[in-house]
């Protein structure tokens, strides 16, 4: 490990100019793109990079998986149960839920916790992204949906700018699905 001089983006967010924030988001988009170019050791599997169990404290405190497929991971998360038992309660979201259920996803390397507390900046430049313990190979939408949950409400405006400028592809249906699941399951 090395010491990296910089400040958490969270600490300086409100001190930066809009042009600086935009520059940071574009850098973040480039980093996410680089992560997505890495070939997973076992394409299609959901796992930590070493092939072991995943860590995501928004899901549960104990490690979980690995999973041989995205479908197996989604079953673990409760998607099948939601589709079989709760569609009537989420009537307005049924089209999005059904679209997600019919899609196949590639797996990509994902940080799993892209939040201002984990992005170190110096001026308008990202100098490090830290806290990689939850990183691993996940469905392509996971970085997007988990960034939403990691950034609900702080700092004000981060999620909106992240979604608009930093993500190479948006996954609105998948976010709806994850939000429905989060309203059904208390995870930890």
């Amino acid at each position: 490990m090395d010491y990296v001089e910089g400040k958490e983006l969270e600490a300086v967010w409100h001190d930066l100019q809009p042009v600086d924030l935009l520059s940071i988001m574009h850098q973040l988009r480039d980093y996410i793109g680089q992560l997505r170019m890495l070939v997973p050791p076992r394409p299609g599997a959901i796992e930590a990079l070493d092939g072991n169990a995943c860590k995501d404290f928004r899901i549960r405190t104990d490690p979980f998986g690995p999973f041989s497929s995205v479908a197996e991971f989604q079953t673990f998360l409760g998607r099948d149960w939601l589709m079989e038992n709760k569609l009537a309660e989420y009537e307005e979201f049924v089209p999005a839920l059904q679209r997600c259920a019919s899609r196949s996803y590639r797996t990509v390397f994902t940080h799993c916790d892209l939040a201002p507390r984990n992005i170190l900046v110096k001026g308008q430049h990202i100098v490090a992204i830290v806290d990689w313990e939850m990183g691993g190979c996940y469905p392509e939408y996971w970085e997007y949906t988990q960034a939403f949950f990691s950034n609900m409400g702080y700092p004000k405006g981060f999620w909106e700018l992240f979604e608009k400028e930093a993500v190479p592809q948006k996954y609105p249906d998948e976010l709806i699905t994850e939000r429905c699941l989060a309203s059904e399951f208390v995870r930890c």
Side-chain angles (χ1 to χ4, degrees):
M1 290 185 28
D2 292 326
Y3 174 78
V4 176
E5 188 177 329
K7 296 183 178 184
E8 291 178 357
L9 179 57
E10 180 177 40
V12 298
W13 178 265
H14 296 294
D15 298 329
L16 294 169
Q17 298 298 312
V19 68
D20 298 331
L21 296 173
L22 191 60
S23 175
I24 289 167
M25 289 299 148
H26 291 167
Q27 292 167 59
L28 195 54
R29 181 181 60 217
D30 291 343
Y31 291 132
I32 293 169
Q34 289 175 39
L35 292 177
R36 288 175 171 254
M37 290 183 350
L38 298 172
V39 177
R42 292 186 325 134
I46 307 301
E47 59 192 9
L49 274 185
D50 62 2
N52 287 318
C54 304
K55 289 182 184 178
D56 189 327
F57 302 123
R58 286 176 301 275
I59 304 300
R60 60 190 286 186
T61 53
D62 296 329
F64 54 90
F67 304 95
S68 62
S69 68
V70 173
E72 186 181 326
F73 176 60
Q74 291 172 330
T75 297
F76 166 78
L77 294 175
R79 186 200 65 192
D80 297 344
W81 177 85
L82 183 75
M83 297 297 290
E84 292 170 10
N85 298 292
K86 293 291 187 168
L87 284 186
E89 294 178 34
Y90 295 101
E91 188 175 331
E92 67 184 290
F93 303 125
V94 167
L97 294 168
Q98 290 175 331
R99 284 190 297 270
C100 288
S102 68
R103 290 181 181 144
S104 60
Y105 301 95
R106 65 189 178 102
T107 53
V108 297
F109 184 64
T110 303
H111 180 275
C112 283
D113 197 15
L114 284 178
R117 66 183 174 275
N118 293 328
I119 301 168
L120 301 182
V121 297
K122 188 172 183 181
Q124 67 180 32
H125 300 287
I126 295 176
V127 293
I129 298 174
V130 299
D131 195 11
W132 289 86
E133 73 179 297
M134 295 192 302
C137 298
Y138 289 89
E140 61 192 86
Y141 63 83
W142 199 248
E143 194 83 81
Y144 176 82
T145 60
Q146 294 311 292
F148 172 81
F149 291 107
S150 289
N151 295 293
M152 291 184 358
Y154 80 95
K156 185 171 174 54
F158 178 83
W159 165 253
E160 293 79 9
L161 192 57
F162 177 86
E163 182 184 37
K164 182 178 178 187
E165 299 291 341
V167 292
Q169 182 176 352
K170 295 167 184 48
Y171 295 91
D173 292 338
E174 291 75 6
L175 183 56
I176 287 169
T177 300
E178 289 301 315
R179 291 179 77 178
C180 291
L181 287 167
S183 70
E184 292 293 331
F185 298 104
V186 176
R187 297 174 169 158
C188 59

